[in-house]
Short mmCIF file of all heavy atoms in Angstrom, two decimals:
data_model
loop_
_atom_site.label_atom_id
_atom_site.label_comp_id
_atom_site.label_asym_id
_atom_site.label_seq_id
_atom_site.Cartn_x
_atom_site.Cartn_y
_atom_site.Cartn_z
N ILE A 16 -9.61 8.28 6.43
CA ILE A 16 -8.99 7.61 5.28
C ILE A 16 -8.74 6.14 5.61
O ILE A 16 -8.33 5.82 6.73
CB ILE A 16 -7.65 8.27 4.97
CG1 ILE A 16 -7.85 9.72 4.47
CG2 ILE A 16 -6.86 7.48 3.91
CD1 ILE A 16 -6.55 10.54 4.42
N THR A 17 -9.02 5.29 4.66
CA THR A 17 -8.56 3.93 4.73
C THR A 17 -7.57 3.73 3.56
O THR A 17 -7.86 4.13 2.43
CB THR A 17 -9.71 2.87 4.69
OG1 THR A 17 -9.14 1.58 4.79
CG2 THR A 17 -10.54 2.96 3.43
N ALA A 18 -6.41 3.21 3.86
CA ALA A 18 -5.32 3.16 2.85
C ALA A 18 -4.62 1.82 2.85
O ALA A 18 -4.56 1.11 3.89
CB ALA A 18 -4.33 4.27 3.13
N ALA A 19 -4.07 1.48 1.71
CA ALA A 19 -3.27 0.25 1.55
C ALA A 19 -2.06 0.29 2.47
O ALA A 19 -1.48 1.34 2.72
CB ALA A 19 -2.84 0.11 0.10
N SER A 20 -1.64 -0.89 2.94
CA SER A 20 -0.53 -0.95 3.92
C SER A 20 0.81 -0.49 3.32
O SER A 20 1.69 -0.15 4.08
CB SER A 20 -0.41 -2.39 4.45
OG SER A 20 -1.46 -2.70 5.29
N ASP A 21 0.94 -0.50 2.02
CA ASP A 21 2.19 -0.03 1.46
C ASP A 21 2.37 1.50 1.62
O ASP A 21 3.44 2.02 1.44
CB ASP A 21 2.37 -0.41 -0.02
CG ASP A 21 1.39 0.34 -0.93
OD1 ASP A 21 0.21 0.48 -0.57
OD2 ASP A 21 1.81 0.75 -2.03
N LEU A 22 1.27 2.15 2.06
CA LEU A 22 1.30 3.59 2.31
C LEU A 22 1.57 3.93 3.78
O LEU A 22 1.50 5.10 4.17
CB LEU A 22 -0.01 4.26 1.88
CG LEU A 22 -0.30 4.27 0.37
CD1 LEU A 22 -1.67 4.89 0.13
CD2 LEU A 22 0.76 5.05 -0.38
N GLN A 23 1.80 2.92 4.59
CA GLN A 23 1.95 3.07 6.05
C GLN A 23 2.80 4.29 6.42
O GLN A 23 2.50 5.06 7.29
CB GLN A 23 2.52 1.80 6.64
CG GLN A 23 2.70 1.83 8.14
CD GLN A 23 1.48 1.45 8.94
OE1 GLN A 23 0.62 0.75 8.40
NE2 GLN A 23 1.36 1.91 10.13
N TYR A 24 3.94 4.42 5.73
CA TYR A 24 4.89 5.48 6.09
C TYR A 24 4.70 6.72 5.21
O TYR A 24 4.73 7.85 5.71
CB TYR A 24 6.31 4.94 5.98
CG TYR A 24 6.59 3.81 6.93
CD1 TYR A 24 6.50 2.45 6.48
CD2 TYR A 24 6.86 4.02 8.27
CE1 TYR A 24 6.73 1.42 7.37
CE2 TYR A 24 7.08 2.96 9.15
CZ TYR A 24 6.98 1.66 8.69
OH TYR A 24 7.22 0.60 9.52
N ALA A 25 4.52 6.51 3.90
CA ALA A 25 4.36 7.67 3.01
C ALA A 25 3.15 8.50 3.37
O ALA A 25 3.21 9.75 3.43
CB ALA A 25 4.29 7.20 1.58
N MET A 26 1.99 7.84 3.62
CA MET A 26 0.77 8.58 3.91
C MET A 26 0.89 9.35 5.22
O MET A 26 0.38 10.47 5.35
CB MET A 26 -0.43 7.65 3.93
CG MET A 26 -1.76 8.33 4.18
SD MET A 26 -2.16 9.58 2.95
CE MET A 26 -2.55 8.58 1.50
N LYS A 27 1.54 8.78 6.21
CA LYS A 27 1.69 9.50 7.49
C LYS A 27 2.50 10.79 7.29
O LYS A 27 2.21 11.79 7.88
CB LYS A 27 2.37 8.59 8.50
CG LYS A 27 1.45 7.53 9.07
CD LYS A 27 2.14 6.59 10.06
CE LYS A 27 1.17 5.58 10.61
NZ LYS A 27 1.84 4.59 11.49
N GLU A 28 3.53 10.70 6.40
CA GLU A 28 4.29 11.92 6.09
C GLU A 28 3.43 12.94 5.33
O GLU A 28 3.55 14.15 5.57
CB GLU A 28 5.54 11.57 5.27
CG GLU A 28 6.70 11.14 6.13
CD GLU A 28 8.04 11.23 5.38
OE1 GLU A 28 8.20 12.17 4.56
OE2 GLU A 28 8.87 10.40 5.63
N ILE A 29 2.63 12.46 4.41
CA ILE A 29 1.75 13.35 3.63
C ILE A 29 0.74 14.02 4.58
O ILE A 29 0.52 15.25 4.45
CB ILE A 29 1.06 12.56 2.51
CG1 ILE A 29 2.08 12.22 1.43
CG2 ILE A 29 -0.08 13.39 1.90
CD1 ILE A 29 1.58 11.26 0.36
N ILE A 30 0.17 13.26 5.46
CA ILE A 30 -0.81 13.83 6.42
C ILE A 30 -0.11 14.87 7.29
O ILE A 30 -0.68 15.96 7.54
CB ILE A 30 -1.43 12.72 7.27
CG1 ILE A 30 -2.40 11.87 6.42
CG2 ILE A 30 -2.22 13.33 8.44
CD1 ILE A 30 -2.92 10.65 7.10
N SER A 31 1.10 14.58 7.73
CA SER A 31 1.83 15.54 8.57
C SER A 31 2.10 16.83 7.81
O SER A 31 1.97 17.95 8.35
CB SER A 31 3.14 14.90 9.01
OG SER A 31 3.90 15.80 9.79
N ALA A 32 2.49 16.70 6.54
CA ALA A 32 2.73 17.90 5.72
C ALA A 32 1.47 18.69 5.48
O ALA A 32 1.49 19.92 5.52
CB ALA A 32 3.35 17.47 4.37
N TYR A 33 0.35 17.97 5.27
CA TYR A 33 -0.95 18.65 5.09
C TYR A 33 -1.34 19.43 6.36
O TYR A 33 -1.80 20.56 6.28
CB TYR A 33 -2.01 17.60 4.76
CG TYR A 33 -3.42 18.18 4.72
CD1 TYR A 33 -3.90 18.80 3.59
CD2 TYR A 33 -4.26 18.09 5.84
CE1 TYR A 33 -5.20 19.34 3.55
CE2 TYR A 33 -5.54 18.61 5.80
CZ TYR A 33 -6.01 19.24 4.68
OH TYR A 33 -7.27 19.75 4.67
N LYS A 34 -1.16 18.78 7.52
CA LYS A 34 -1.57 19.39 8.78
C LYS A 34 -0.75 20.62 9.13
O LYS A 34 -1.21 21.51 9.83
CB LYS A 34 -1.56 18.36 9.88
CG LYS A 34 -2.74 17.40 9.82
CD LYS A 34 -2.74 16.38 10.93
CE LYS A 34 -3.02 17.01 12.27
NZ LYS A 34 -4.38 17.57 12.39
N LYS A 35 0.49 20.69 8.65
CA LYS A 35 1.29 21.88 8.86
C LYS A 35 0.67 23.07 8.19
O LYS A 35 0.74 24.19 8.67
CB LYS A 35 2.71 21.66 8.36
CG LYS A 35 3.58 20.83 9.32
CD LYS A 35 4.98 20.63 8.76
CE LYS A 35 5.77 19.76 9.69
NZ LYS A 35 7.10 19.45 9.15
N LYS A 36 0.04 22.82 7.06
CA LYS A 36 -0.64 23.89 6.33
C LYS A 36 -2.06 24.09 6.79
O LYS A 36 -2.61 25.18 6.58
CB LYS A 36 -0.63 23.58 4.82
CG LYS A 36 0.71 23.65 4.15
CD LYS A 36 0.62 23.34 2.66
CE LYS A 36 1.86 23.75 1.89
NZ LYS A 36 3.09 23.14 2.36
N ASN A 37 -2.66 23.07 7.39
CA ASN A 37 -4.06 23.15 7.78
C ASN A 37 -4.20 22.60 9.21
O ASN A 37 -4.78 21.53 9.44
CB ASN A 37 -4.94 22.30 6.84
CG ASN A 37 -4.79 22.75 5.40
OD1 ASN A 37 -5.43 23.69 4.94
ND2 ASN A 37 -3.93 22.06 4.66
N PRO A 38 -3.63 23.27 10.20
CA PRO A 38 -3.59 22.75 11.55
C PRO A 38 -4.94 22.53 12.22
O PRO A 38 -5.09 21.77 13.15
CB PRO A 38 -2.76 23.79 12.33
CG PRO A 38 -2.87 25.02 11.51
CD PRO A 38 -2.95 24.60 10.09
N GLU A 39 -5.99 23.17 11.67
CA GLU A 39 -7.31 23.04 12.24
C GLU A 39 -8.03 21.76 11.78
O GLU A 39 -9.03 21.36 12.40
CB GLU A 39 -8.15 24.27 11.87
CG GLU A 39 -8.66 24.34 10.41
CD GLU A 39 -7.59 24.70 9.39
OE1 GLU A 39 -6.42 24.99 9.80
OE2 GLU A 39 -7.92 24.67 8.18
#
Side-chain angles (χ1 to χ4, degrees):
I16 295 167
T17 181
S20 288
D21 69 317
L22 292 178
Q23 180 85 26
Y24 299 97
M26 182 58 72
K27 285 178 179 176
E28 276 199 34
I29 288 170
I30 290 171
S31 178
Y33 172 84
K34 285 180 68 66
K35 282 180 183 175
K36 290 181 165 57
N37 304 276
E39 73 287 355

